[in-house]
Amino acid sequence: MKSTTRALPAFIAMLGLSALLGASPAHAESGCLTAPPAPGVEQSRLADPRTGQLIERGGLLSFTQRFPAALCTARTAREAEALLDAWGSALWQSAVNRAQQRRPSDGLPPGDGLAPGDDRPLYWARLTMDTQLACWQPPFTIDPDALRARFEDASRGLTANRFSTTPGLRRVFISGFDPFGLDGDLRTANPSGSAALTLNGRRVTLADGATAEIRAVVLPVRYADFDRGIVERAFGPRMTAGPQAADRITTISQGYPGIFTLEAWAGRARSADPYPDNEGALSGGTYGHPVVAPGMGPGAEFIPTTLPVAAMTAATRTPYPVLLNTEVTEIPAGQSDPVDRADGPTPGSRAVAGGGGGYLSNEVAYRSNRLRLELAPAMPGGHLHTPVLTGLPADRTRLSGPEFERNEAAITAEILTLLSAD
């Protein structure tokens, strides 16, 4: 990305950040930054040079280059909060603009860029900036965790991402996820994150002829963030009466090879161990001993989808079939061992796994729909699993390829078709 402010919100210029985007990183004041702390599992992957290549080829290099200097301009805690809100929102909007091809040319030679909808540049740029933020030592008292949360929320679309107030416009709110499984292949992308970027702000004609606007967020694959309420922060404002309330919510994640699945049931439990999150953390729950996540509000063991599943499964079969998954795993009432059920839970049972398993994809569905039942029970909601995104070149020095990009675009196009069903 060239040093430009055309894609940045107006409030960036008000804070003086637009000048910093065109300034040299050497302008950072001495003494503002310190050596980085020991990296966590997620941050340690930044040592791989391919992460920097994804940032650069995705046009987001200016953010990681200029952010340290911007941090050093803050003089008070309030300025720091405003600065992190602004930079996070600008990073998010730049990634959305790129996905929707509303940005200046990045100046890269043909073949050196990435597909517009690629979600990986945003992920690695945000993680780099999180690491830079951890090095900041301002001359005033801050709450590092609170500031990091502000930046994370803003850079994931949780703030400054409002529905239009056009009369009669319906509102669809969706969520995707960061890439995960990165120790298997660092180049991994997540089609749900790509769809969130590509569809955020898009308008679509529904099956009944009405027009709807889509707004989206991209959530982390980290148990700790879920424990601290990021799902509730993302979905709560969309369930409160007013112009920003959604008419439908759909959580989306990557699921099974070759198919879309609509999950009929979301379960209350975590049970995915020994599969870790992006930080290498475990949930503490297994199929034999499921657990309820910290911060989870009261609710049923299983919550059914209320999406228009008949219309959605009939909406498209190309290139991927769309199936309704009614499977769950439960501990039946009066028993102690888990049982797989093909046709949903039985009365009085304890949740082990929803149709989407016992990992964060199931949990985002449960948390968002538990909150929906509390705040806006008439609103339809549920979870959609995408096909696994395949097609990366066998040569791991190559970051993208035609098959990968075709598959990513096809999944997003089919998600849009499914969201249009009514």
Side-chain angles (χ1 to χ4, degrees), residues 45 50 180-188 275 396:
R45 299 187 185 105
R50 291 174 296 176
F180 66 98
L182 296 162
D183 291 331
D185 189 340
L186 190 80
R187 302 172 300 162
T188 296
Y275 193 84
R396 294 199 174 194

Side-chain angles (χ1 to χ4, degrees), residues 179-184 188 221 223 254 271-278 280-286 358-360:
F180 66 98
L182 296 162
D183 291 331
T188 296
V221 185
Y223 287 115
Q254 181 175 244
S271 57
D273 294 355
Y275 193 84
D277 69 4
N278 274 351
L282 298 176
S283 72
T286 66
Y359 195 50
L360 291 170

Side-chain angles (χ1 to χ4, degrees), residues 15 74 76-86 136 140 146-147 150-151:
L15 292 170
T76 67
R78 290 189 65 181
E79 284 187 14
E81 291 175 351
L83 184 146
L84 290 167
D85 289 346
W136 184 36
F140 49 86
L147 287 178
R150 294 183 77 103
F151 174 74

Side-chain angles (χ1 to χ4, degrees), residues 200-360:
N200 187 64
R202 287 278 300 273
R203 293 191 178 185
V204 59
T205 301
L206 301 178
D208 65 359
T211 300
E213 182 177 279
I214 300 168
R215 288 288 162 180
V217 294
V218 176
L219 298 171
V221 185
R222 295 189 297 248
Y223 287 115
D225 292 76
F226 274 53
D227 295 347
R228 291 190 288 264
I230 192 169
V231 175
E232 289 77 8
R233 293 199 305 276
F235 283 87
R238 311 299 182 165
M239 299 174 182
T240 304
Q244 295 308 307
D247 295 301
R248 183 196 300 178
I249 62 166
T250 305
T251 54
I252 306 174
S253 64
Q254 181 175 244
Y256 310 100
I259 59 171
F260 278 92
T261 56
L262 285 160
E263 304 304 337
W265 298 94
R268 186 169 173 80
R270 287 179 178 173
S271 57
D273 294 355
Y275 193 84
D277 69 4
N278 274 351
E279 276 286 3
L282 298 176
S283 72
T286 66
Y287 265 43
H289 296 90
V291 300
V292 176
M296 187 81 78
E301 287 294 305
F302 291 96
I303 297 176
T305 184
T306 53
L307 291 174
V309 294
M312 294 176 80
T313 54
T316 179
R317 297 281 176 180
T318 307
Y320 304 102
V322 183
L323 308 177
L324 177 64
N325 179 23
T326 59
E327 296 178 357
V328 301
T329 302
E330 65 175 13
I331 298 175
Q335 300 183 30
S336 58
D337 295 326
V339 175
D340 295 330
R341 300 283 188 193
D343 55 355
T346 56
S349 67
R350 180 184 173 194
V352 175
Y359 195 50
L360 291 170

Side-chain angles (χ1 to χ4, degrees), residues 125-146:
R126 181 195 301 111
L127 193 58
T128 299
M129 294 167 76
D130 275 337
T131 303
Q132 293 167 337
L133 181 58
C135 300
W136 184 36
Q137 288 191 326
F140 49 86
T141 301
I142 60 170
D143 181 339
D145 291 337

Side-chain angles (χ1 to χ4, degrees), residues 385-400:
H385 265 121
T386 77
V388 173
L389 178 55
T390 60
L392 282 169
D395 179 357
R396 294 199 174 194
T397 65
R398 295 178 58 197
L399 300 180
S400 189

Side-chain angles (χ1 to χ4, degrees), residues 136-186:
W136 184 36
Q137 288 191 326
F140 49 86
T141 301
I142 60 170
D143 181 339
D145 291 337
L147 287 178
R148 179 179 181 273
R150 294 183 77 103
F151 174 74
E152 282 273 328
D153 283 5
S155 66
R156 294 181 176 280
L158 272 69
T159 60
N161 189 15
R162 299 176 63 83
F163 282 114
S164 302
T165 56
T166 304
L169 187 69
R170 294 192 196 170
R171 297 175 291 274
V172 176
F173 188 67
I174 67 173
S175 65
F177 273 107
D178 284 344
F180 66 98
L182 296 162
D183 291 331
D185 189 340
L186 190 80

Side-chain angles (χ1 to χ4, degrees), residues 351-377:
V352 175
Y359 195 50
L360 291 170
S361 57
N362 170 77
E363 188 168 325
V364 71
Y366 185 90
R367 282 183 179 266
S368 60
N369 283 281
R370 189 212 67 79
L371 190 65
R372 175 183 62 80
L373 291 173
E374 180 181 306
L375 300 178

